Amino acid sequence: MSFFFEVFIGGLLSGVMYALVALGFVLIYKASGVFNFAQGAMVFFAALTCVGLTEKFELPLWLAIPLTMLVMVALGLAIERIVLRPLVNQPEITLFMATIGLTFFIEGLAQLLWGSQPHKLTLPIEDVPIEFLMEKFNILVSQFDVIAALICAMLVTGLALLFSKTKIGRALRAVADDHQAALAVGIPLQQIWGIVWAVAGFVALVAGLLWGARNGVQFALTFVALKALPVLILGGFTSVPGAIVGGLIIGASEKLAEVYIGPLVGGGIEGWFPYVLALLFLLVRPEGLFGEKIIRRI
């Protein structure tokens, strides 16, 4: 039984980090109706930039992180200003294709600036089992995973409060409901979109640092970010609480499936099981657990 809880807790901790990545998608989709396919590339760019500053310019990590944060906020603002603002009121497929183009551009720019070889990112968090849980319950839980999950949980909670309890949050909800009505009452759409893209850049930085320290800073980080897709399908594309719940479900289910179902089918199902789960969920509740149900008239 202790092994089950070990796997389950490890999955939940991974799920919190998935939720953080998913939150970047949710914020942009709520504000502008754009599904930002480039969020994974932004995670990769953030991690690679931070490592590049420490290796190429020999900056200490405590200085490289805030500098990278400024770079990511500037990147988010530049994307909104240069690429997406001229495409306002264009069909959603046009905006989506623009973010796909951005994905390849950001990936290429990151590797052009800092190189394409994998890098090691070391944060001041030890990846060792928590002694109390190991001695008391015989459960191996990584200290790094717990601290990373706590960081993600605090950031997700802070952003959720920001966008639900503040003036900016009310403006965001108004923009999400109706762009024209928001303009009519004096809400500056371009300013709100700029704030959301800047926040998405900051979220990408935190996710990139945590996943980069866990798996190494390499191109595969872009695929880790795509784990947010089944999270969004389960939780709902417009719901911050849905991103949290969906992340926990995906994180726990993929670990349990790999351990208990994987041996029956030859193993290696952790990578694709979340997408199968999301596909099955689409057949039952397409709008997600917390998404708004759309009634279509025929």
Side-chain angles (χ1 to χ4, degrees), residues 25 36-48 72 75 99-100 102-108 110 204 219 221-223 225-226:
F25 288 92
N36 180 26
F37 197 80
Q39 189 69 23
M42 292 173 66
V43 170
F44 173 60
F45 184 90
L48 196 56
M72 293 308 299
L75 177 64
T99 65
I100 292 180
L102 276 172
T103 299
F104 293 102
F105 172 75
I106 294 172
E107 291 171 355
F219 187 76
L221 279 180
T222 59
F223 301 110
L226 290 181

Short mmCIF file of all heavy atoms in Angstrom, two decimals, residues 25 36-48 72 75 99-100 102-108 110 204 219 221-223 225-226:
data_model
loop_
_atom_site.label_atom_id
_atom_site.label_comp_id
_atom_site.label_asym_id
_atom_site.label_seq_id
_atom_site.Cartn_x
_atom_site.Cartn_y
_atom_site.Cartn_z
N PHE A 25 -1.71 28.73 -20.81
CA PHE A 25 -2.68 28.60 -21.89
C PHE A 25 -4.00 29.26 -21.52
O PHE A 25 -4.61 29.97 -22.32
CB PHE A 25 -2.92 27.13 -22.21
CG PHE A 25 -1.79 26.43 -22.90
CD1 PHE A 25 -0.81 25.76 -22.19
CD2 PHE A 25 -1.69 26.43 -24.29
CE1 PHE A 25 0.23 25.11 -22.81
CE2 PHE A 25 -0.66 25.77 -24.94
CZ PHE A 25 0.30 25.11 -24.20
N ASN A 36 -2.67 29.58 -27.42
CA ASN A 36 -1.25 29.87 -27.64
C ASN A 36 -0.44 28.58 -27.73
O ASN A 36 0.10 28.10 -26.73
CB ASN A 36 -0.72 30.75 -26.50
CG ASN A 36 0.75 31.08 -26.68
OD1 ASN A 36 1.25 31.10 -27.80
ND2 ASN A 36 1.43 31.32 -25.59
N PHE A 37 -0.33 28.06 -28.92
CA PHE A 37 0.44 26.84 -29.14
C PHE A 37 1.91 27.04 -28.84
O PHE A 37 2.65 26.08 -28.64
CB PHE A 37 0.26 26.37 -30.59
CG PHE A 37 0.65 24.95 -30.84
CD1 PHE A 37 -0.20 23.91 -30.52
CD2 PHE A 37 1.89 24.64 -31.39
CE1 PHE A 37 0.16 22.59 -30.75
CE2 PHE A 37 2.26 23.32 -31.63
CZ PHE A 37 1.40 22.30 -31.30
N ALA A 38 2.35 28.31 -28.77
CA ALA A 38 3.76 28.60 -28.54
C ALA A 38 4.15 28.58 -27.07
O ALA A 38 5.31 28.85 -26.74
CB ALA A 38 4.11 29.98 -29.13
N GLN A 39 3.23 28.26 -26.16
CA GLN A 39 3.56 28.28 -24.75
C GLN A 39 4.68 27.29 -24.41
O GLN A 39 5.55 27.59 -23.59
CB GLN A 39 2.31 27.95 -23.91
CG GLN A 39 2.46 28.15 -22.42
CD GLN A 39 2.60 29.61 -22.02
OE1 GLN A 39 2.18 30.48 -22.75
NE2 GLN A 39 3.19 29.86 -20.87
N GLY A 40 4.67 26.13 -25.05
CA GLY A 40 5.73 25.16 -24.82
C GLY A 40 7.08 25.70 -25.26
O GLY A 40 8.10 25.49 -24.58
N ALA A 41 7.11 26.39 -26.39
CA ALA A 41 8.36 26.99 -26.86
C ALA A 41 8.83 28.08 -25.92
O ALA A 41 10.05 28.27 -25.72
CB ALA A 41 8.17 27.55 -28.27
N MET A 42 7.91 28.81 -25.32
CA MET A 42 8.28 29.85 -24.35
C MET A 42 8.90 29.23 -23.10
O MET A 42 9.83 29.79 -22.52
CB MET A 42 7.05 30.68 -23.99
CG MET A 42 6.53 31.53 -25.14
SD MET A 42 4.96 32.37 -24.78
CE MET A 42 5.45 33.51 -23.49
N VAL A 43 8.40 28.07 -22.68
CA VAL A 43 8.99 27.36 -21.55
C VAL A 43 10.43 26.98 -21.87
O VAL A 43 11.36 27.17 -21.06
CB VAL A 43 8.15 26.11 -21.20
CG1 VAL A 43 8.88 25.24 -20.18
CG2 VAL A 43 6.78 26.52 -20.66
N PHE A 44 10.65 26.43 -23.06
CA PHE A 44 11.98 26.04 -23.51
C PHE A 44 12.90 27.25 -23.61
O PHE A 44 14.06 27.22 -23.16
CB PHE A 44 11.86 25.33 -24.86
CG PHE A 44 13.16 25.02 -25.52
CD1 PHE A 44 14.09 24.20 -24.90
CD2 PHE A 44 13.46 25.51 -26.79
CE1 PHE A 44 15.31 23.90 -25.52
CE2 PHE A 44 14.65 25.22 -27.41
CZ PHE A 44 15.58 24.41 -26.77
N PHE A 45 12.40 28.34 -24.17
CA PHE A 45 13.19 29.56 -24.34
C PHE A 45 13.61 30.12 -22.97
O PHE A 45 14.76 30.55 -22.79
CB PHE A 45 12.38 30.60 -25.10
CG PHE A 45 13.12 31.86 -25.42
CD1 PHE A 45 13.84 31.97 -26.59
CD2 PHE A 45 13.12 32.94 -24.54
CE1 PHE A 45 14.55 33.13 -26.89
CE2 PHE A 45 13.82 34.09 -24.83
CZ PHE A 45 14.54 34.20 -26.00
N ALA A 46 12.69 30.10 -22.01
CA ALA A 46 13.00 30.63 -20.68
C ALA A 46 14.10 29.83 -20.00
O ALA A 46 15.07 30.40 -19.47
CB ALA A 46 11.73 30.63 -19.82
N ALA A 47 13.97 28.50 -20.01
CA ALA A 47 14.96 27.66 -19.36
C ALA A 47 16.32 27.79 -20.03
O ALA A 47 17.36 27.89 -19.36
CB ALA A 47 14.49 26.20 -19.37
N LEU A 48 16.33 27.81 -21.36
CA LEU A 48 17.59 27.88 -22.10
C LEU A 48 18.26 29.24 -21.91
O LEU A 48 19.49 29.33 -21.82
CB LEU A 48 17.35 27.60 -23.58
CG LEU A 48 18.57 27.25 -24.44
CD1 LEU A 48 19.33 26.07 -23.86
CD2 LEU A 48 18.15 26.96 -25.88
N MET A 72 11.54 37.34 -20.53
CA MET A 72 10.29 36.64 -20.84
C MET A 72 9.10 37.59 -20.85
O MET A 72 8.19 37.46 -21.68
CB MET A 72 10.06 35.52 -19.83
CG MET A 72 11.06 34.38 -19.92
SD MET A 72 11.24 33.72 -21.60
CE MET A 72 9.56 33.15 -21.93
N LEU A 75 9.41 39.37 -24.05
CA LEU A 75 9.01 38.49 -25.15
C LEU A 75 7.50 38.40 -25.25
O LEU A 75 6.94 38.48 -26.37
CB LEU A 75 9.60 37.10 -24.93
CG LEU A 75 9.23 36.03 -25.97
CD1 LEU A 75 9.78 36.40 -27.34
CD2 LEU A 75 9.74 34.65 -25.55
N THR A 99 0.31 31.37 -33.86
CA THR A 99 1.03 30.85 -32.69
C THR A 99 1.86 29.61 -33.06
O THR A 99 2.91 29.38 -32.45
CB THR A 99 0.08 30.50 -31.54
OG1 THR A 99 -0.79 29.43 -31.92
CG2 THR A 99 -0.75 31.72 -31.15
N ILE A 100 1.41 28.84 -34.04
CA ILE A 100 2.23 27.71 -34.51
C ILE A 100 3.51 28.24 -35.15
O ILE A 100 4.61 27.73 -34.91
CB ILE A 100 1.44 26.84 -35.50
CG1 ILE A 100 0.30 26.11 -34.78
CG2 ILE A 100 2.38 25.82 -36.17
CD1 ILE A 100 -0.53 25.24 -35.68
N LEU A 102 4.91 31.07 -34.44
CA LEU A 102 5.69 31.58 -33.33
C LEU A 102 6.46 30.46 -32.63
O LEU A 102 7.59 30.66 -32.16
CB LEU A 102 4.78 32.27 -32.32
CG LEU A 102 4.42 33.73 -32.59
CD1 LEU A 102 3.35 34.19 -31.61
CD2 LEU A 102 5.66 34.60 -32.48
N THR A 103 5.85 29.29 -32.54
CA THR A 103 6.49 28.16 -31.89
C THR A 103 7.84 27.85 -32.54
O THR A 103 8.87 27.76 -31.85
CB THR A 103 5.59 26.91 -31.96
OG1 THR A 103 4.37 27.16 -31.28
CG2 THR A 103 6.28 25.70 -31.34
N PHE A 104 7.84 27.71 -33.84
CA PHE A 104 9.08 27.37 -34.54
C PHE A 104 10.08 28.53 -34.50
O PHE A 104 11.29 28.31 -34.40
CB PHE A 104 8.77 26.97 -35.98
CG PHE A 104 8.01 25.69 -36.09
CD1 PHE A 104 6.65 25.68 -36.35
CD2 PHE A 104 8.65 24.47 -35.92
CE1 PHE A 104 5.94 24.49 -36.43
CE2 PHE A 104 7.95 23.27 -36.01
CZ PHE A 104 6.60 23.29 -36.26
N PHE A 105 9.56 29.75 -34.54
CA PHE A 105 10.46 30.90 -34.47
C PHE A 105 11.16 30.98 -33.12
O PHE A 105 12.38 31.18 -33.04
CB PHE A 105 9.68 32.19 -34.73
CG PHE A 105 10.49 33.44 -34.48
CD1 PHE A 105 11.46 33.84 -35.39
CD2 PHE A 105 10.30 34.20 -33.33
CE1 PHE A 105 12.22 34.98 -35.15
CE2 PHE A 105 11.05 35.33 -33.09
CZ PHE A 105 12.02 35.72 -34.01
N ILE A 106 10.40 30.82 -32.03
CA ILE A 106 10.97 30.91 -30.68
C ILE A 106 11.94 29.77 -30.42
O ILE A 106 13.01 29.96 -29.84
CB ILE A 106 9.84 30.93 -29.62
CG1 ILE A 106 9.02 32.21 -29.76
CG2 ILE A 106 10.41 30.83 -28.22
CD1 ILE A 106 7.78 32.24 -28.90
N GLU A 107 11.58 28.56 -30.87
CA GLU A 107 12.49 27.42 -30.71
C GLU A 107 13.80 27.66 -31.45
O GLU A 107 14.89 27.41 -30.92
CB GLU A 107 11.82 26.14 -31.21
CG GLU A 107 10.66 25.66 -30.35
CD GLU A 107 9.89 24.53 -31.00
OE1 GLU A 107 10.18 24.19 -32.17
OE2 GLU A 107 8.98 24.00 -30.34
N GLY A 108 13.69 28.14 -32.66
CA GLY A 108 14.89 28.41 -33.45
C GLY A 108 15.72 29.54 -32.86
O GLY A 108 16.95 29.47 -32.82
N ALA A 110 15.87 30.47 -29.71
CA ALA A 110 16.52 30.00 -28.48
C ALA A 110 17.80 29.23 -28.79
O ALA A 110 18.85 29.45 -28.17
CB ALA A 110 15.55 29.13 -27.68
N ALA A 204 5.90 30.87 -17.92
CA ALA A 204 6.79 30.01 -18.71
C ALA A 204 8.17 29.92 -18.07
O ALA A 204 8.81 28.87 -18.09
CB ALA A 204 6.90 30.54 -20.14
N PHE A 219 15.48 20.27 -25.81
CA PHE A 219 14.34 20.52 -26.68
C PHE A 219 13.08 19.78 -26.21
O PHE A 219 11.97 20.21 -26.48
CB PHE A 219 14.68 20.10 -28.12
CG PHE A 219 13.64 20.46 -29.13
CD1 PHE A 219 13.52 21.77 -29.57
CD2 PHE A 219 12.76 19.52 -29.63
CE1 PHE A 219 12.55 22.12 -30.49
CE2 PHE A 219 11.80 19.86 -30.55
CZ PHE A 219 11.69 21.16 -30.99
N LEU A 221 11.71 19.79 -23.54
CA LEU A 221 10.86 20.61 -22.67
C LEU A 221 9.60 21.09 -23.40
O LEU A 221 8.56 21.29 -22.78
CB LEU A 221 11.64 21.83 -22.16
CG LEU A 221 12.59 21.61 -20.98
CD1 LEU A 221 13.27 22.91 -20.61
CD2 LEU A 221 11.83 21.06 -19.79
N THR A 222 9.71 21.29 -24.70
CA THR A 222 8.54 21.73 -25.45
C THR A 222 7.44 20.67 -25.43
O THR A 222 6.25 20.99 -25.43
CB THR A 222 8.91 22.04 -26.91
OG1 THR A 222 9.46 20.87 -27.52
CG2 THR A 222 9.94 23.16 -26.97
N PHE A 223 7.82 19.39 -25.38
CA PHE A 223 6.84 18.32 -25.35
C PHE A 223 6.24 18.15 -23.95
O PHE A 223 5.09 17.77 -23.80
CB PHE A 223 7.47 17.01 -25.83
CG PHE A 223 8.04 17.07 -27.22
CD1 PHE A 223 9.40 17.04 -27.44
CD2 PHE A 223 7.19 17.21 -28.31
CE1 PHE A 223 9.92 17.12 -28.72
CE2 PHE A 223 7.70 17.30 -29.60
CZ PHE A 223 9.06 17.25 -29.80
N ALA A 225 5.61 20.60 -22.04
CA ALA A 225 4.59 21.64 -21.97
C ALA A 225 3.29 21.21 -22.66
O ALA A 225 2.20 21.63 -22.26
CB ALA A 225 5.12 22.92 -22.61
N LEU A 226 3.41 20.36 -23.67
CA LEU A 226 2.21 19.91 -24.37
C LEU A 226 1.37 18.97 -23.51
O LEU A 226 0.24 18.64 -23.88
CB LEU A 226 2.59 19.25 -25.69
CG LEU A 226 3.13 20.19 -26.77
CD1 LEU A 226 3.45 19.42 -28.03
CD2 LEU A 226 2.12 21.29 -27.08
#
